[in-house]
Amino acid sequence: MTRIFSGIKPTGHLTLGNYLGALRRWVDVDQHQADALFSVVDLHALTVEHDPARVRRLSRQAATLMLAAGLDPELCTVFVQSHVDEHARLSYLLECTATDGELRRMIQYKEKAARAQAAGQSVRLSLLTYPVLMAADILAYGTDEVPVGDDQTQHVELTRDLAVRFNQRYGHTFTVPKATHPPVAARVMDLQDPTSKMGKSHEAGAGIVYLLDEADVVRKKIMRAVTDSGREVEYDRAARPGVTNLLEVLAACEGGDPIELAGAYESYGALKKDTAEAVVELLRPVRERHAELAADPGHVDDVLRKGAERARGMARPRVDAAYRAIGLLPA
């Protein structure tokens, strides 16, 4: 079977964007058609200033929501990244394969470093090198496909480059993966700033629908979504980003086509109302199942422990082979 790997960073509460752009596809497609691993990639949350207790809390919440969304431990492997040492072990070897220049060209590094400097914060070295850790996450498992949003495509390309370079220098060790993208709503935008991605780590939450938001809160946020000048409901991301974002969210919820949906509406108000109700109904079972799982933390812990054991068994032989290939003495 095709092997896939994907992960979620516990840097904030999971959002509608996380669900439509990743989680739902994992549940509906990937876990059934592939040998799939899904991880809470908590090591990646340490690249910026953080509260240790909050990282632990958000890591558990993310794992619980992944299960609540429908990931089945009988069909896929669900685990926490830091519970499998092979990620950190392989990351250093890949740092010895990557170059300073290609890491500094990463768009996300440039953006995040600029924000940190503007806020008067120091930039951690791990922010520069975290794409290498992401590459280790992927390559440790012989991953064939990586389902990602548009903003992560550059990192998968780096992963491919590192795999090819390592294989050429030290002998064939790694599978060269490819990125895959969901067809609709791969990048849900902020309801208050439809030119920016709906990010879970943003400080302001008025434009972000969180998976655990109550139904009334969801409705209020969507009804207050920023739209565009004029009154016509048209699908045009450049000229009408606000309306286009709502159309894509509605299409993703109902399985329709956003361009065709545009022709069914004569007002922004009607579009917002239907979008709000569609999102509420989409998230209702996730919230209900999350409440059940949160009341039984021992079950979630057991799933994560077994998932880590399974992941470790898959990763260790390949990482050990990489250690031998690069010239290190076996233990």
Side-chain angles (χ1 to χ4, degrees):
M1 293 180 69
T2 298
R3 178 166 290 177
I4 69 170
F5 175 94
S6 198
I8 287 181
K9 271 194 302 186
T11 51
H13 301 287
L14 298 191
T15 72
L16 177 65
N18 297 127
Y19 185 78
L20 292 178
L23 266 174
R24 189 170 64 169
R25 177 182 172 85
W26 298 355
V27 170
D28 293 345
V29 179
D30 294 332
Q31 69 173 340
H32 300 285
Q33 297 183 358
D35 181 8
L37 298 101
F38 302 111
S39 180
V40 178
V41 286
D42 53 344
L43 294 175
H44 290 290
L46 310 185
T47 60
V48 294
E49 292 292 331
H50 63 277
D51 173 17
R54 185 170 186 266
V55 171
R56 285 191 291 269
R57 185 169 63 252
L58 289 175
S59 296
R60 173 173 289 282
Q61 184 185 90
T64 305
L65 278 168
M66 288 162 69
L67 298 175
L71 289 182
D72 184 347
E74 298 298 320
L75 298 175
C76 64
T77 303
V78 181
F79 68 104
V80 175
Q81 176 193 33
S82 63
H83 294 177
V84 180
D85 293 344
E86 279 62 36
H87 292 256
R89 289 181 62 209
L90 180 56
S91 183
Y92 181 73
L93 298 195
L94 296 179
E95 285 185 11
C96 296
T97 308
T99 68
D100 176 78
E102 62 191 345
L103 292 181
R104 292 188 186 278
R105 287 194 295 271
M106 294 291 107
I107 295 171
Q108 286 208 10
Y109 169 72
K110 291 180 180 179
E111 294 175 347
K112 292 180 179 180
R115 285 201 297 268
Q117 290 170 343
Q121 299 173 349
S122 59
V123 179
R124 298 187 181 189
L125 179 61
S126 56
L127 186 63
L128 177 66
T129 60
Y130 96 87
V132 178
L133 176 58
M134 180 177 170
D137 299 337
I138 296 165
L139 297 180
Y141 297 101
T143 303
D144 300 295
E145 296 181 0
V146 189
V148 292
D150 295 337
D151 58 328
Q152 291 291 334
T153 300
Q154 188 184 33
H155 293 159
V156 179
E157 288 303 314
L158 173 67
T159 301
R160 290 170 55 85
D161 291 343
L162 295 179
V164 169
R165 191 178 305 155
F166 192 100
N167 290 345
Q168 290 174 341
R169 289 180 179 175
Y170 308 115
H172 185 78
T173 306
F174 300 117
T175 300
V176 181
K178 66 177 182 179
T180 59
H181 306 278
V184 178
R187 196 172 192 187
V188 178
M189 312 306 280
D190 190 291
L191 296 172
Q192 292 298 314
D193 180 9
T195 62
S196 299
K197 181 183 174 183
M198 185 181 285
K200 61 182 178 294
S201 55
H202 291 182
E203 291 184 6
I208 304 171
V209 174
Y210 297 106
L211 298 189
L212 296 179
D213 278 346
E214 296 290 340
D216 287 346
V217 174
V218 173
R219 292 188 183 98
K220 184 179 296 184
K221 288 181 176 179
I222 294 176
M223 293 305 294
R224 292 179 177 176
V226 168
T227 48
D228 312 291
S229 60
R231 296 184 177 180
E232 294 183 4
V233 178
E234 295 179 341
Y235 183 87
D236 186 332
R237 180 161 291 284
R240 296 184 180 275
V243 170
T244 296
N245 188 38
L246 292 172
L247 288 168
E248 289 197 342
V249 169
L250 180 58
C253 289
E254 297 186 343
D257 180 90
I259 298 175
E260 292 179 1
L261 282 173
Y265 290 94
E266 296 182 355
S267 71
Y268 295 161
L271 172 60
K272 288 182 175 181
K273 183 177 179 181
D274 284 357
T275 302
E277 293 307 317
V279 172
V280 166
E281 291 307 312
L282 181 76
L283 299 185
R284 188 187 306 279
V286 178
R287 288 178 50 245
E288 292 174 350
R289 179 59 177 152
H290 175 270
E292 295 173 1
L293 290 168
D296 186 8
H299 171 70
V300 176
D301 288 343
D302 188 55
V303 168
L304 296 178
R305 179 181 57 78
K306 291 178 179 177
E309 290 175 357
R310 193 183 309 156
R312 196 176 301 116
M314 285 187 267
R316 182 163 294 170
R318 187 169 288 100
V319 175
D320 285 349
Y323 267 60
R324 292 192 298 271
I326 205 169
L328 300 176
L329 284 173

